[in-house]
Amino acid sequence: RRTDFLDGSAARGSGLPDVWWFRPDGRRMGKRDWERPDARSLGVFLNGQEIPTKTPRGESVLDDTFILLLNAFHEDIPFTLPTRRFGANWQLILSTADPDAEAAVFRAKEPVLVTGRSLVLLRRI
């Protein structure tokens, strides 16, 4: 749970934004992508190193870094993971299409097939 809004900045010094929205081809979403009425899928990079909240003792809060792949379309969509800069390896944590899926590992720029009307959660390893 975050107490501050995600804003796409790298204020904590990790070199990566706190959140980064991307298209299925692995490229950053632009204004036109957000305005497309036929867009039914997107990826979200959530940087666990860029949480501005402090603990009650004033310590920095750190968490794992995740990628969330969302497919609201009725057909399967292959997502290309972002470049290595965001993370070299990603482990499957959850697939709503297959809750019993094994914890597969994917590499940067590798395609991940997301079943229609489902989501996939990956954790950087």
Side-chain angles (χ1 to χ4, degrees), residues 43-113:
V44 185
F45 167 81
L46 294 168
N47 189 349
Q49 305 299 306
E50 285 290 335
I51 301 172
T53 307
K54 299 277 187 188
T55 68
R57 300 166 120 191
E59 300 162 328
S60 294
V61 174
L62 300 175
D63 196 3
D64 289 329
T65 296
F66 296 95
I67 284 182
L68 181 61
L69 305 173
L70 302 145
N71 180 7
F73 194 51
H74 65 275
E75 294 180 15
D76 298 353
I77 294 179
F79 278 80
T80 300
L81 294 179
T83 64
R84 188 176 176 87
R85 172 175 99 102
F86 289 89
N89 296 299
W90 298 88
Q91 183 175 27
L92 177 67
I93 300 299
L94 170 72
S95 168
T96 59
D98 185 4
D100 297 323
E102 292 186 29
V105 174
F106 300 93
R107 296 178 190 269
K109 302 288 286 175
E110 186 174 345
V112 177
L113 188 65

Side-chain angles (χ1 to χ4, degrees), residues 2 6-9 16-21 44-47 50:
R2 295 187 184 211
L6 301 169
D7 63 10
S9 70
L16 294 169
D18 59 354
V19 65
W20 190 73
W21 305 87
V44 185
F45 167 81
L46 294 168
N47 189 349
E50 285 290 335

